[in-house]
Amino acid sequence: MSEQQNVSQTSEKPSLAFSVSWALSYQGGAMLVAATISSYFSVFMTDTIGIPAAAASIMMFIATLWDAVNDPIMGTLADRTKSRWGRYRPYFLFFPPLFTAVAMLLFLNPNLPTMGKIVYTEVFYIMWGMLYTILTMPWQSILPAHIKDDNQRNSLIQAGATCMAIAFTIASSFTTTFTSFFGGSYVPLMAIYGIFCTIMYWILFKTSTERYILPVEKRSVSADLKKLLKHTELLSVIVVWMMSSLGYGLMFGSSVYYIMYYYERPDLITTYMLAVSVGAIVSMMVLMGILLRIFKGSVVKAFQFSQGVALVCYVILFLFGKTSLILLYVLTFIATSFGVMEQAMINILVNDTIDYIMLKDKMTLSATISAIKGFAQKCGSTLSNSGILAVLAVTGYVAGAIGGQPQSAMIGINFMRFGIPALTCIIIIACLAVYPISKYYGEIAEMKENM
């Protein structure tokens, strides 16, 4: 829902099966797995497997950095895939079961010495990240290939983001309850989530088409990247993608540490994560649509306003969050309700960028652009995942020492939870002030009318 709707577009309404499977494949089943890993895997490494925080930080940095690097590789491969099933659809068929198996293996605690556990965990974390990328790039690319109408695209993006928020609610708030049914093991949970993910991807394979793509020309990967990199005006968009990932990752990845060690109330983990997650659902289902109507479809203005509200809440919580439990819950809910819609809005920016490159360079680089977005997000995830553990290591965090953390660790945990997210809001607002694609919405709409 953006300014380009000022020019009408001929639309073909997507089928219900396509809409449901697109929303629930990556942002449903795969996101349940990803949300569990994002919220609990760091704690699982340090407190269950027994990997020192410093070593875990280096492991996460290496794994997520490689994950960021392989995103552009995967994107360019997807854009060049030729098969009887199409360019992007084959990836929906074969890789979800493998993704499920690796997620299950990731949550084993092998009977090995510490170094053996480090190697085992690192190998399967890297494998999981690569498979997650393989599922993400084609999924992102199939939407503009299947649908050209912006209203329909953006409605599906909002629906998918709502599914993502619900997935995070389930995974972040109820994982400890679910795992208690399995004797504390995450493995059966990964199997259930993975089977659901696989079914949704197979339905998406069956119901999707690739109508709106241009033929693949015979050109090198470097040629594609050069075409994209010459558009230096898109740098601000890439920074927005990265900062959104960093802020979002810290929101979930640091919350368990914050409540357990900064507030010293591990009994409140479930209710606090529920406040975060319900805020995310409200953000996607209610507030995003309201803001887009208030700002007359301008994603950029709605995005800036939402980040501004979240910024104010983060600053107050950073300074006074520990003074009142009610203040913590209320402002966390408000910050999440406005902040999390960024996860839907950045996907709208991806589709804007795909259309912009098609207009300027007469090329379909959907997966490559999605991969650049993925690269930026993974850079943010690298900073988030390894940064949490690095801060803990540097500030003297003691695993399991509830009520016995040094003051330096307490300051570090508070800064991760609210200080850094406040900085990401400021950077996003500044970058959106120079968003380069807005002035081309009319030309983009005309181009799609002629497709």
Side-chain angles (χ1 to χ4, degrees):
M1 201 179 298
S2 54
E3 291 148 339
Q4 64 260 54
Q5 279 99 53
N6 292 332
V7 180
S8 64
Q9 295 177 15
T10 303
S11 64
E12 295 177 271
K13 188 174 182 180
S15 69
L16 179 61
F18 172 84
S19 301
V20 171
S21 61
W22 187 85
L24 289 177
S25 51
Y26 168 65
Q27 293 185 302
M31 193 55 62
L32 284 167
V33 175
T36 303
I37 292 172
S38 174
S39 297
Y40 293 95
F41 190 64
S42 292
V43 177
F44 180 78
M45 281 197 298
T46 57
D47 293 14
T48 300
I49 299 179
I51 297 173
S57 173
I58 295 172
M59 291 166 60
M60 296 292 274
F61 178 80
I62 293 171
T64 51
L65 183 61
W66 165 245
D67 197 22
V69 170
N70 72 54
D71 270 39
I73 298 172
M74 180 59 220
T76 54
L77 286 175
D79 276 332
R80 285 165 172 75
T81 298
K82 294 181 180 179
S83 76
R84 61 191 179 104
W85 298 297
R87 191 179 300 181
Y88 308 120
R89 294 171 65 244
Y91 296 95
F92 306 152
L93 192 58
F94 302 110
F95 289 97
L98 187 57
F99 171 82
T100 302
V102 171
M104 293 169 64
L105 291 169
L106 183 62
F107 274 104
L108 292 179
N109 183 8
N111 186 19
L112 297 170
T114 300
M115 182 54 65
K117 290 183 177 184
I118 289 173
V119 172
Y120 175 92
T121 303
E122 182 75 342
V123 167
F124 281 102
Y125 191 79
I126 289 174
M127 288 178 62
W128 179 81
M130 293 177 69
L131 288 164
Y132 187 66
T133 297
I134 289 172
L135 294 184
T136 305
M137 300 302 107
W139 171 85
Q140 179 80 59
S141 303
I142 201 65
L143 185 62
H146 186 80
I147 304 170
K148 69 176 179 178
D149 181 76
D150 292 307
N151 287 318
Q152 292 177 359
R153 286 183 187 177
N154 296 347
S155 294
L156 267 181
I157 287 171
Q158 187 173 356
T162 300
C163 292
M164 181 182 70
I166 293 172
F168 260 94
T169 299
I170 294 170
S172 63
S173 302
F174 301 110
T175 292
T176 54
T177 303
F178 293 157
T179 54
S180 67
F181 292 124
F182 305 114
S185 174
Y186 291 84
V187 175
L189 204 56
M190 294 299 98
I192 294 169
Y193 293 161
I195 290 169
F196 176 62
C197 169
T198 299
I199 292 171
M200 289 298 104
Y201 265 105
W202 284 352
I203 296 173
L204 182 60
F205 169 81
K206 183 69 175 177
T207 58
S208 59
T209 61
E210 298 178 2
R211 300 187 187 102
Y212 306 113
I213 57 176
L214 297 176
V216 179
E217 299 174 4
K218 291 183 178 180
R219 60 180 184 266
S220 66
V221 172
S222 61
D224 281 357
L225 294 176
K226 285 178 182 178
K227 285 277 189 180
L228 286 174
L229 293 175
K230 77 175 184 180
H231 295 286
T232 54
E233 68 275 15
L234 296 176
L235 179 60
S236 62
V237 183
I238 294 172
V239 173
V240 169
W241 292 336
M242 183 170 67
M243 290 298 104
S244 296
S245 177
L246 174 58
Y248 190 75
L250 287 173
M251 180 190 305
F252 286 94
S254 64
S255 288
V256 173
Y257 286 105
Y258 183 84
I259 293 298
M260 182 178 291
Y261 296 113
Y262 188 78
Y263 242 87
E264 301 173 0
R265 292 289 304 274
D267 57 303
L268 295 180
I269 289 175
T270 297
T271 53
Y272 183 72
M273 295 303 288
L274 190 60
V276 173
S277 302
V278 171
I281 295 173
V282 171
S283 181
M284 301 301 186
M285 294 185 68
V286 181
L287 287 180
M288 180 176 169
I290 292 173
L291 287 187
L292 288 172
R293 284 193 292 273
I294 290 174
F295 291 103
K296 299 179 181 179
S298 173
V299 175
V300 172
K301 292 178 181 178
F303 203 161
Q304 288 179 306
F305 179 82
S306 66
Q307 292 296 296
V309 174
L311 170 62
V312 173
C313 294
Y314 286 145
V315 171
I316 295 173
L317 287 169
F318 178 72
L319 297 174
F320 308 109
K322 202 173 182 180
T323 60
S324 166
L325 191 60
I326 293 176
L327 179 72
L328 174 67
Y329 273 81
V330 171
L331 289 189
T332 294
F333 178 80
I334 294 172
T336 307
S337 296
F338 281 90
V340 167
M341 67 181 70
E342 67 186 358
Q343 296 303 303
M345 291 180 174
I346 60 174
N347 284 331
I348 295 176
L349 302 189
V350 171
N351 286 328
D352 277 359
T353 307
I354 290 169
D355 292 338
Y356 176 75
I357 295 300
M358 192 179 292
L359 174 71
K360 289 292 185 179
D361 296 326
K362 305 298 184 291
M363 297 190 305
T364 298
L365 294 179
S366 301
T368 304
I369 292 168
S370 298
I372 297 298
K373 177 244 190 180
F375 172 79
Q377 285 190 296
K378 298 294 174 58
C379 287
S381 296
T382 300
L383 294 173
S384 172
N385 296 336
S386 62
I388 290 173
L389 294 166
V391 169
L392 293 176
V394 169
T395 56
Y397 160 79
V398 181
I402 299 170
Q405 296 295 336
Q407 186 63 26
S408 56
M410 301 285 274
I411 293 171
I413 291 171
N414 188 36
F415 185 64
M416 287 188 299
R417 181 61 188 93
F418 297 118
I420 299 177
L423 294 175
T424 66
C425 289
I426 293 171
I427 295 171
I428 288 171
I429 292 169
C431 287
L432 289 173
V434 292
Y435 186 63
I437 303 177
S438 300
K439 58 186 176 183
Y440 294 98
Y441 281 151
E443 294 178 54
I444 290 170
E446 183 179 353
M447 172 193 70
K448 288 193 285 188
E449 280 289 333
N450 295 326
M451 289 181 70

